[in-house]
Amino acid sequence: VFGELRKKLCLDSSSLTEAPRKIFLSRKNTRWRRLVNENELYEKLRPFGFEIIDIGTLSIKQQFELGRRTSCLVTPLGANSNFFLNLPTGANVIELAPPMESMNVTGPFALASGLNFKQIVGTANNKPGILKIDQDYSVDCSLVVDTVCSLTP
């Protein structure tokens, strides 16, 4: 299914050699599942060439073009995780997730799309009255950096 979708949208026509960009997607302006230490993490990723992007500010055309030129994506769990569909085959996707019991949707879909996928589970803030899946959370910045460093270019 994902292969066909990517083919119909011409997303399978780009290659990693045409994808120099490394993107860190922001969830700062969302209601749920905000990455509490987003700024700190971005400061750790910036020396590796990462740009921070709020995908919601881009048109669909701009999202497709950005995806075609992205070799590595670091994204908090959320609707923005679906941006991986725009990446060229062989690109790397690192999803940052709050603790959860059974919601790993991106991983199988990214792998079915020919992408390399890793998920890093963070620590929830545990605010009363908010569902576990919707909690704001933080991740270990060193673990994310180590994961980025372990990826094949």
Side-chain angles (χ1 to χ4, degrees), residues 46-135:
R46 191 164 43 147
F48 295 95
F50 279 84
E51 307 166 55
I52 193 166
I53 303 280
D54 180 347
I55 205 72
T57 64
L58 302 179
S59 70
I60 296 296
K61 183 178 179 183
Q62 290 172 317
Q63 290 180 33
F64 282 146
E65 184 56 35
L66 177 62
R68 292 172 57 90
R69 300 186 44 76
T70 299
S71 62
C72 187
L73 174 68
V74 175
T75 178
L77 178 79
N80 57 341
S81 293
N82 294 324
F83 179 72
F84 76 86
L85 286 169
N86 303 317
L87 275 55
T89 301
N92 295 299
V93 178
I94 301 171
E95 182 178 65
L96 311 175
M100 55 193 161
E101 294 170 16
S102 63
M103 190 175 143
N104 181 5
V105 175
T106 308
F109 294 162
L111 294 171
S113 298
L115 305 172
N116 302 309
F117 176 81
K118 295 186 187 258
Q119 185 181 70
I120 297 173
V121 177
T123 305
N125 280 7
N126 293 322
K127 286 188 179 178
I130 298 177
L131 296 173
K132 189 173 183 179
I133 188 67
D134 291 331
Q135 291 285 334

Side-chain angles (χ1 to χ4, degrees), residues 21-70:
R21 296 178 78 175
K22 297 176 183 177
I23 302 298
F24 175 46
L25 294 183
S26 174
R27 279 191 58 87
K28 188 183 298 186
N29 296 318
T30 61
R31 184 174 178 188
W32 308 109
R33 290 187 297 278
R34 286 182 299 258
L35 187 59
V36 175
N37 60 338
E38 178 177 291
N39 291 338
E40 176 188 358
L41 179 56
Y42 174 61
E43 289 305 317
K44 302 277 186 192
L45 292 174
R46 191 164 43 147
F48 295 95
F50 279 84
E51 307 166 55
I52 193 166
I53 303 280
D54 180 347
I55 205 72
T57 64
L58 302 179
S59 70
I60 296 296
K61 183 178 179 183
Q62 290 172 317
Q63 290 180 33
F64 282 146
E65 184 56 35
L66 177 62
R68 292 172 57 90
R69 300 186 44 76
T70 299

